[in-house]
């Protein structure tokens, strides 16, 4: 009959279903729960109720007062736990209240102590009780701690294997003198100028960059530290404005630096006037640059130092400039080159650091490491021009892509120029398609 066959198939599917089995187990637990003993925690403030099954099946860290077990009316019975003697391995379950004799645990455990419920359970009404676990038995007055102690005492000690006597180290080897650790950390060896071999074909790439930068139309050429200061006010004021322009350029675009410098020059950009200007007014004048709060403090502190120590002028060496607040190696070497036409080092910023690593000219993780490696092989006569040359080239590659692509296509070596800007993360095909120069790029690549 189709109906009977369908009903039987449905019944088999229900029996096989894991969800159905879980619901059957849940219903069985609910039905059997009233028949189980109820655990009552006799707390001094507020009693709390727990199911006995969860307390017996789950081990967890607890801190409770003595536990009272309340049993339903039952007849006295004997539960055999296994062993040679029935009297020694039985629990007597009376109908009256049975109290656990384990001493109460402290409510707040001490530091480093771990309170865990023991695997051994003992129920006592004044008679000796036996605890059995995996063939090990212990008899006591119902105390878990005594049962564990007696169990550990019954373990037979393992026989010790004879070992050969070890010779004293003084008989074989002389005692080593303790090593003294140096208090100062290990310093990295300084790279001396001219001590490193130059990279392959660097002069060819350097000459190509000079050709691409011959027009001097990058932002650094118009609003850089060399173009912004007012030379007509005197050499002392000019040198001070070069220093201020470099201090403002940190983490700020050249266009913003140029706008801020014009505002300061309108206010009066001399060391005496800046010293007399209050912090709030100065902060408002340079608020467009990055980290203007810190730069306000650095400029004010530097003005005080220049007036008291250098008679209103700036230091003449890069080492002395680095002692001024907010002045790092890059700023000091560039100011020294522009203001005094001296080149004791190369000013390397993050853009130069990235480009020279892309070209495999250096291998470093910081601009300071790039500076040291670059000074190790670059001729000293190029130290003064390299910053403005490559900073402007990087600005055109990143910010003026159409102009850079056209300059690369019209230079004396377009194929080498395209390969160079590709190494500097310039997507030639994408930008050529964007500005309609695909045919020119294809012609240059084929030539």
């Amino acid at each position: 009959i189709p109906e009977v066959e369908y009903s039987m198939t449905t019944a088999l599917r229900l029996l096989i279903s894991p969800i159905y089995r879980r619901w059957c187990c849940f219903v069985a637990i609910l039905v059997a729960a009233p028949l189980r003993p109820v655990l009552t925690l006799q707390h001094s403030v507020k009693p709390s109720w727990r199911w006995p099954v969860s307390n017996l099946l789950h081990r967890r860290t607890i801190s409770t007062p003595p536990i009272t077990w309340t049993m339903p009316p039952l007849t006295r019975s004997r539960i055999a736990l296994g062993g040679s003697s029935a009297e020694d391995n039985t629990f007597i379950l009376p109908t009256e209240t049975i109290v656990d004799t384990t001493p109460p645990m402290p409510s707040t455990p001490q530091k480093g102590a771990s309170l865990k419920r023991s695997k051994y359970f003992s129920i006592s009404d004044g008679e000796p009780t036996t605890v059995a676990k995996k063939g090990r038995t212990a008899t006591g007055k119902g105390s878990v701690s005594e049962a564990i102690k007696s169990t550990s005492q019954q373990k037979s000690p393992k026989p010790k294997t004879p070992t050969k006597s070890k010779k004293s180290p003084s008989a074989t080897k002389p005692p080593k003198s303790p090593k003294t650790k140096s208090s100062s950390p290990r310093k990295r060896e300084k790279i001396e100028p001219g001590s490193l071999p130059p990279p392959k074909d660097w002069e060819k790439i350097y000459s190509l960059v000079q050709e691409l930068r011959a027009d001097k139309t990058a932002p650094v050429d118009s609003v850089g530290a060399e173009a912004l200061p007012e030379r007509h006010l005197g050499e002392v004021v000019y040198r001070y404005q070069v220093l201020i322009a470099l201090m403002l350029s940190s983490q700020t675009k050249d266009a913003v630096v140029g706008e801020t410098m014009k505002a300061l020059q309108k206010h009066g950009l001399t060391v005496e006037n800046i010293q007399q200007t209050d912090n709030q007014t100065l902060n408002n004048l340079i608020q467009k640059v990055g980290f203007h709060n810190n730069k306000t403090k650095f400029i004010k502190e530097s003005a005080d130092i220049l007036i008291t120590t250098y008679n209103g002028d700036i230091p003449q060496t890069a080492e002395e400039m680095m002692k001024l607040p907010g002045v790092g190696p890059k700023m000091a070497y560039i100011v020294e080159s522009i203001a005094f036409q001296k080149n004791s080092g190369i000013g390397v910023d993050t853009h130069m650091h990235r480009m020279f690593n892309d070209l495999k000219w250096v291998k470093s993780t910081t601009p300071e490491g790039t500076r040291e490696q670059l000074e190790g092989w670059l001729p000293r006569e190029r130290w003064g021009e390299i910053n403005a040359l490559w900073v402007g080239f990087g600005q055109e590659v990143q910010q003026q892509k159409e102009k850079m692509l056209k300059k690369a296509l019209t230079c004396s070596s377009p194929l080498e120029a395209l390969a160079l800007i590709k190494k500097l993360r310039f997507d030639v095909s994408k930008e050529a398609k964007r500005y309609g120069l695909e045919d020119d790029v294809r012609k240059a690549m084929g030539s």
Side-chain angles (χ1 to χ4, degrees):
I1 302 173
E3 292 79 2
V4 175
E5 184 180 358
Y6 175 76
S7 61
M8 292 177 64
T9 305
T10 306
L12 288 175
R13 288 178 179 175
L14 288 174
L15 290 176
I16 296 173
S17 172
I19 300 177
Y20 179 78
R21 291 201 304 268
R22 293 174 185 174
W23 275 103
C24 289
C25 293
F26 178 71
V27 172
I29 291 174
L30 291 179
V31 173
L35 303 179
R36 303 290 296 174
V38 179
L39 176 62
T40 305
L41 300 180
Q42 302 293 341
H43 201 277
S44 59
V45 180
K46 183 179 179 180
S48 58
W49 297 81
R50 298 288 187 274
W51 288 99
V53 177
S54 62
N55 283 274
L56 292 175
L57 297 183
H58 299 285
R59 296 172 56 195
R60 60 183 181 273
T61 303
I62 60 173
S63 175
T64 61
I67 302 174
T68 302
W69 293 76
T70 304
M71 302 290 292
L74 296 175
T75 58
R76 291 180 177 270
S77 60
R78 292 180 179 274
I79 304 173
L81 298 178
S84 57
S85 174
E87 296 180 357
D88 296 338
N89 298 296
T90 58
F91 280 141
I92 299 176
L93 305 178
T95 57
E96 59 269 21
T97 302
I98 302 173
V99 181
D100 186 9
T101 58
T102 306
M105 297 182 182
S107 58
T108 57
Q110 299 179 358
K111 185 178 181 180
S114 177
L115 301 177
K116 294 184 179 180
R117 182 177 289 276
S118 174
K119 295 185 289 187
Y120 303 91
F121 296 93
S122 62
I123 304 175
S124 174
D125 60 344
E127 298 181 4
T129 309
T130 304
V131 179
K133 183 69 176 178
K134 294 185 180 180
R136 296 177 294 177
T137 61
T139 305
K141 284 290 182 180
S143 174
V144 177
S145 59
E146 293 177 3
I148 296 175
K149 288 181 181 179
S150 60
T151 304
S152 61
Q153 291 176 0
Q154 292 180 5
K155 293 182 180 179
S156 58
K158 295 182 181 180
K160 296 183 179 180
T161 57
T163 57
K164 297 181 180 180
S165 60
K166 298 181 179 179
K167 296 182 180 181
S168 61
S170 60
T172 56
K173 295 181 179 180
K176 296 182 179 180
S177 59
K179 297 181 179 180
T180 58
K181 295 183 179 180
S182 59
S183 58
S184 61
R186 185 178 179 181
K187 295 183 179 180
R188 180 168 52 89
E189 295 182 1
K190 185 178 179 180
I191 300 176
E192 296 296 333
S195 61
L196 296 179
K200 184 180 179 181
D201 297 336
W202 74 270
E203 291 181 336
K204 186 177 181 180
I205 297 175
Y206 198 94
S207 301
L208 183 58
V209 173
Q210 286 180 325
E211 181 183 352
L212 294 174
R213 286 276 291 120
D215 55 354
K216 293 187 178 182
T217 57
V220 70
D221 299 317
S222 57
V223 288
E226 189 173 1
L228 288 173
E230 299 171 312
R231 190 180 288 272
H232 64 276
L233 296 178
E235 292 296 326
V236 176
V237 177
Y238 173 79
R239 289 193 289 264
Y240 178 69
Q241 292 189 7
V242 170
L243 176 64
I244 296 300
L246 264 299
M247 294 179 71
L248 295 175
S249 65
S250 176
Q251 303 294 326
T252 308
K253 292 184 178 181
D254 287 341
V256 179
V257 174
E259 184 179 352
T260 305
M261 283 291 294
K262 291 179 181 178
L264 287 173
Q265 290 170 355
K266 185 178 180 180
H267 172 74
L269 188 53
T270 61
V271 63
E272 295 82 9
N273 192 22
I274 293 299
Q275 187 190 30
Q276 297 174 2
T277 304
D278 59 281
N279 290 5
Q280 186 62 39
T281 303
L282 182 60
N283 194 10
N284 294 335
L285 290 172
I286 66 169
Q287 63 180 351
K288 293 184 179 180
V289 302
F291 304 99
H292 56 89
N293 294 325
N294 292 335
K295 292 177 181 179
T296 299
K297 181 178 66 174
F298 295 152
I299 292 173
K300 289 288 292 182
E301 293 176 358
S302 299
D304 296 335
I305 295 173
L306 295 180
I307 290 177
T308 57
T309 307
Y310 299 99
N311 197 21
D313 202 351
I314 66 173
Q316 296 185 3
T317 61
E319 287 74 14
E320 293 179 355
M321 291 182 199
M322 294 180 200
K323 298 178 183 179
L324 298 176
V327 178
K330 180 200 78 170
M331 302 179 191
Y333 290 129
I334 297 175
V335 172
E336 183 186 51
S337 176
I338 297 174
F340 299 103
Q341 290 76 44
K342 294 190 301 185
N343 301 305
S344 62
I346 301 175
V348 177
D349 64 353
T350 55
H351 303 289
M352 295 173 62
H353 165 67
R354 175 182 54 82
M355 288 189 294
F356 292 151
N357 276 273
D358 290 342
L359 294 175
K360 310 299 182 185
W361 283 9
V362 296
K363 186 179 181 182
S364 63
T365 57
T366 60
E368 186 64 17
T370 299
R371 179 189 66 82
E372 291 187 359
Q373 295 183 29
L374 199 61
E375 292 174 356
W377 60 267
L378 187 68
R380 188 177 286 270
E381 60 268 15
R382 298 185 184 269
W383 287 13
E385 65 180 14
I386 188 172
N387 181 272
L389 178 68
W390 284 85
V391 167
F393 182 66
Q395 289 176 345
E396 291 181 338
V397 169
Q398 289 187 338
Q399 304 172 15
Q400 301 173 351
K401 297 185 177 182
E402 182 180 6
K403 184 181 72 172
M404 173 51 63
L405 186 57
K406 291 180 178 179
K407 288 167 66 173
L409 293 172
T410 56
C411 70
S412 60
S413 302
L415 186 61
E416 288 78 3
L418 292 176
L420 173 61
I421 61 177
K422 272 187 178 180
K423 290 181 181 180
L424 301 179
R425 311 178 191 184
F426 188 97
D427 194 342
V428 175
S429 59
K430 178 182 176 181
E431 301 301 332
K433 184 178 180 181
R434 180 180 180 183
Y435 298 112
L437 300 173
E438 291 178 300
D439 295 337
D440 298 335
V441 170
R442 195 177 300 111
K443 187 184 298 183
M445 298 292 286
S447 59

